[in-house]
Amino acid sequence: MARYFRSSNLASRIFDRQLISPLPGATVNTIRQFYENLVPSYTIYDIDCPDYSFRKFTDDGKYLVAFSRNHQDLIVYRPIWFTYSCNEECETHELPPKAKKFDSFFKQLYSIPLASSNEYICKDFFLYMECHRFGLFATSTAQSNESTATEGAIHGVPLIEKITFHLVRLEDGVILDEKAFCNDFINLAHSIGAYMYEDLLCIVSLRYQTIHILQIRDSGNLVEVRNIGAFCREDDELFLHSHIQTGYGGSFLPGIKQRLLSYIFCKTWNEVPDQTLRVQHLKKKFYFHFQDYVDLIIWKVQFLDRHHLFVKFGSVDGGVSRSTDQNLAFFAVYNMETTDIVSLHQNSSEDIYALFEQFYDHFHANPQASSHGKFISSHSNDIHALDQLRVIKNKASSSSQLISAIDRHRHCTEHPIKFMSVRQNVVKFKIKPGSDSGASDSRAKRISSFLFHPFFPLALSIQQTYMQPTVVNIHFRR
């Protein structure tokens, strides 16, 4: 009973943490419960800060990543804690003037030029490798929709003259290595086109339907391990050239597409045991949709482990659009060692939704497998977040609307973000975007983003309104 009614006094909780050992296997949950008492308690509205585009905190909380407004420079800050002293009761004392300044909470470590004159930083792209404190950023030239038809390129996919990935050591801003793709298209928005798992990185070329597997070495080098697309094994191209006397042309389907069609054929074949009915079943379920299967392209890829990839297939139109929620898609598990498709599901499958519900932390471009990421609440590790997800699912028209782990800006709502004490059902703190005056025009289109520190009671709320200056608020524990 004493554990159920946990104290709201921070000092009491610290004593409990020192005296009471958690049950075996419950250490993480016990530590996360401690943060019920560490919520923000004060807001500084419209703080005086540089005109930068703030991206996110790293998973270890040591760095805040930002970009210049012209999308040319990378700026990295280190969070510091604002301190002051007063003679009176601090709770009633007004904060000093320097509290209104951004540099009282964050120290700029460096600012480095990342993009050349005709390139721009993709402000939605950032991957972080915690074990070596490396950050991966992307720059690109302007997108062209009038792309010329080149051999191996998918018709309807736009062209970007140059895309460059930069591996940066975050502690000092040294650019360790770069990887460039020319006359290609990689979906950089919200880090969709790349995925990091341990020291492995996969980058998806939509234009040439190639999955590039790279390894990030301890020295900070990007080394290409293999390419999957037209060929699945390293010697496939050599085998074709040596066994086809007429030479290899463009008549063959890509290797990974062959694996997909083979899996669908075998699965359809085995669905009907009767030999006489099997042919009709194949005509209806496989050959009738054959061209639709052939026209599928790779949208997105992520690692499940070091040997298996989770590949999303869909139409060309859905692959190049920013929103793919309403497009038909298929999810395939691909074994890189055997080059086989292990399983295939439609995006409306209840099995896929169940996996998303149970293993949400693995659907991020940066999977939450770091030492700090496991303390972040999600509906995979928190029953209260899971209850909220199920309420949303019951209101949604389809489960496919939920299957997205994209970190994006949202339209501003009038409802504040509430910090709740679940046990006591009490609101501890509210974060409301905008200024404290509340005089903003409700008809104006407003976009809000929130940057939460992984474990400090510290958050930034950023509101952008059309034709108006950006408003940045800082929420912290006073």
Side-chain angles (χ1 to χ4, degrees):
M1 186 62 68
R3 284 178 177 269
Y4 184 85
F5 295 103
R6 292 188 291 266
S7 173
S8 60
N9 182 276
L10 184 59
S12 176
R13 294 293 294 271
I14 293 176
F15 279 116
D16 289 343
R17 187 178 65 175
Q18 297 296 320
L19 298 176
I20 303 174
S21 300
L23 297 174
T27 303
V28 171
N29 286 334
T30 303
I31 295 174
R32 286 174 54 216
Q33 290 171 356
F34 175 76
Y35 280 87
E36 290 178 345
N37 295 69
L38 285 175
V39 299
S41 61
Y42 194 84
T43 297
I44 300 177
Y45 291 95
D46 198 6
I47 195 166
D48 181 15
C49 70
D51 187 22
Y52 295 149
S53 175
F54 298 101
R55 179 64 184 95
K56 68 178 298 183
F57 289 97
T58 54
D59 292 343
D60 61 1
K62 290 186 175 181
Y63 307 102
L64 173 63
V65 175
F67 306 116
S68 60
R69 285 297 179 186
N70 63 0
H71 298 161
Q72 297 285 312
D73 302 324
L74 165 68
I75 304 99
V76 173
Y77 289 90
R78 184 183 296 280
I80 57 178
W81 206 253
F82 173 70
T83 59
Y84 69 99
S85 60
C86 56
N87 297 326
E88 300 85 2
E89 180 67 29
C90 289
E91 291 297 328
T92 58
H93 196 277
E94 289 293 327
L95 293 179
K98 70 174 185 178
K100 285 280 188 178
K101 296 185 178 296
F102 185 82
D103 56 12
S104 293
F105 295 85
F106 297 93
K107 177 184 177 182
Q108 180 175 320
L109 297 182
Y110 52 83
S111 174
I112 59 171
L114 206 60
S116 60
S117 58
N118 64 336
E119 288 184 294
Y120 299 93
I121 298 174
C122 177
K123 62 183 179 65
D124 295 328
F125 186 94
F126 171 58
L127 299 179
Y128 174 60
M129 187 178 182
E130 183 185 12
C131 59
H132 297 297
R133 307 292 192 266
F134 296 158
L136 188 72
F137 304 90
T139 60
S140 71
T141 56
Q143 175 180 316
S144 172
N145 293 320
E146 298 179 359
S147 57
T148 58
T150 57
E151 183 179 351
I154 300 297
H155 178 72
V157 176
L159 171 71
I160 298 178
E161 183 180 348
K162 185 180 181 182
I163 303 169
T164 307
F165 293 91
H166 309 264
L167 189 68
V168 178
R169 189 167 58 204
L170 292 178
E171 64 180 0
D172 54 12
V174 174
I175 301 176
L176 300 173
D177 202 355
E178 296 178 346
K179 174 69 175 177
F181 296 85
C182 297
N183 300 320
D184 207 332
F185 183 83
I186 298 170
N187 196 343
L188 300 176
H190 314 299
S191 306
I192 290 176
Y195 190 90
M196 189 178 290
Y197 179 84
E198 295 179 350
D199 61 338
L200 295 179
L201 172 69
C202 70
I203 299 174
V204 181
S205 164
L206 285 179
R207 183 169 169 81
Y208 294 101
Q209 287 295 282
T210 302
I211 305 170
H212 300 270
I213 307 295
L214 295 90
Q215 185 180 32
I216 303 175
R217 298 288 176 85
D218 295 350
S219 59
N221 297 110
L222 292 169
V223 179
E224 191 146 357
V225 177
R226 68 171 68 181
N227 294 331
I228 302 169
F231 308 104
C232 294
R233 297 185 187 275
E234 296 178 356
D235 59 347
D236 280 355
E237 187 174 10
L238 177 63
F239 179 85
L240 284 175
H241 280 296
S242 61
H243 287 75
I244 301 177
Q245 300 298 324
T246 58
Y248 172 68
S251 58
F252 288 99
L253 288 173
I256 193 168
K257 187 67 67 64
Q258 290 277 11
R259 300 296 196 275
L260 178 65
L261 291 172
S262 298
Y263 179 87
I264 297 174
F265 178 89
C266 294
K267 186 175 183 295
T268 308
W269 175 275
N270 294 326
E271 285 176 350
V272 179
D274 188 277
Q275 186 70 28
T276 58
L277 299 177
R278 183 173 283 165
V279 175
Q280 293 298 324
H281 185 68
L282 281 172
K283 289 181 179 179
K284 181 180 179 181
K285 296 291 185 180
F286 180 73
Y287 292 112
F288 183 78
H289 299 285
F290 182 80
Q291 192 58 46
D292 296 329
Y293 294 140
V294 170
D295 293 338
L296 292 174
I297 67 168
I298 299 172
W299 280 358
K300 184 180 178 182
V301 178
Q302 73 169 69
F303 288 99
L304 294 178
D305 56 34
R306 299 186 70 86
H307 305 291
H308 293 85
L309 297 175
F310 195 52
V311 186
K312 187 177 184 180
F313 292 92
S315 65
V316 174
D317 294 336
V320 298
S321 66
R322 280 185 171 262
S323 177
T324 61
D325 294 340
Q326 304 302 324
N327 293 276
L328 178 65
F330 296 88
F331 293 94
V333 177
Y334 175 79
N335 188 317
M336 291 190 291
E337 304 303 319
T338 64
T339 71
D340 293 327
I341 298 289
V342 178
S343 64
L344 182 70
H345 304 274
Q346 197 169 320
N347 62 337
S348 58
S349 168
E350 285 294 329
D351 293 338
I352 287 294
Y353 174 78
L355 291 173
F356 175 75
E357 185 177 273
Q358 297 174 30
F359 304 103
Y360 170 81
D361 297 338
H362 298 273
F363 282 83
H364 289 274
N366 262 110
Q368 303 295 333
S370 65
S371 58
H372 297 89
K374 60 186 177 182
F375 295 103
I376 300 175
S377 297
S378 73
H379 51 74
S380 297
N381 57 31
D382 187 276
I383 58 173
H384 307 293
L386 180 60
D387 289 340
Q388 290 181 344
L389 177 71
R390 288 173 175 170
V391 170
I392 296 173
K393 181 191 175 186
N394 293 333
K395 295 180 180 179
S397 58
S398 67
S399 299
S400 62
Q401 297 178 7
L402 300 170
I403 302 182
S404 173
I406 293 176
D407 179 18
R408 64 177 68 162
H409 292 178
R410 307 289 181 179
H411 289 287
C412 182
T413 65
E414 299 301 323
H415 305 288
I417 295 177
K418 297 179 181 179
F419 289 76
M420 300 285 297
S421 174
V422 179
R423 300 279 186 177
Q424 301 172 350
N425 195 26
V426 175
V427 178
K428 292 294 190 73
F429 186 67
K430 295 181 181 181
I431 290 181
K432 186 177 181 180
S435 63
D436 56 347
S437 63
S440 59
D441 187 358
S442 60
R443 297 171 298 178
K445 184 179 180 181
R446 294 179 293 161
I447 301 295
S448 294
S449 59
F450 302 92
L451 304 182
F452 291 91
H453 193 277
F455 45 87
F456 287 157
L458 175 67
L460 297 177
S461 61
I462 305 162
Q463 180 176 293
Q464 297 170 319
T465 306
Y466 181 67
M467 296 296 291
Q468 293 184 18
T470 301
V471 175
V472 179
N473 306 325
I474 286 188
H475 316 272
F476 65 102
R477 185 175 181 84
R478 181 173 170 176

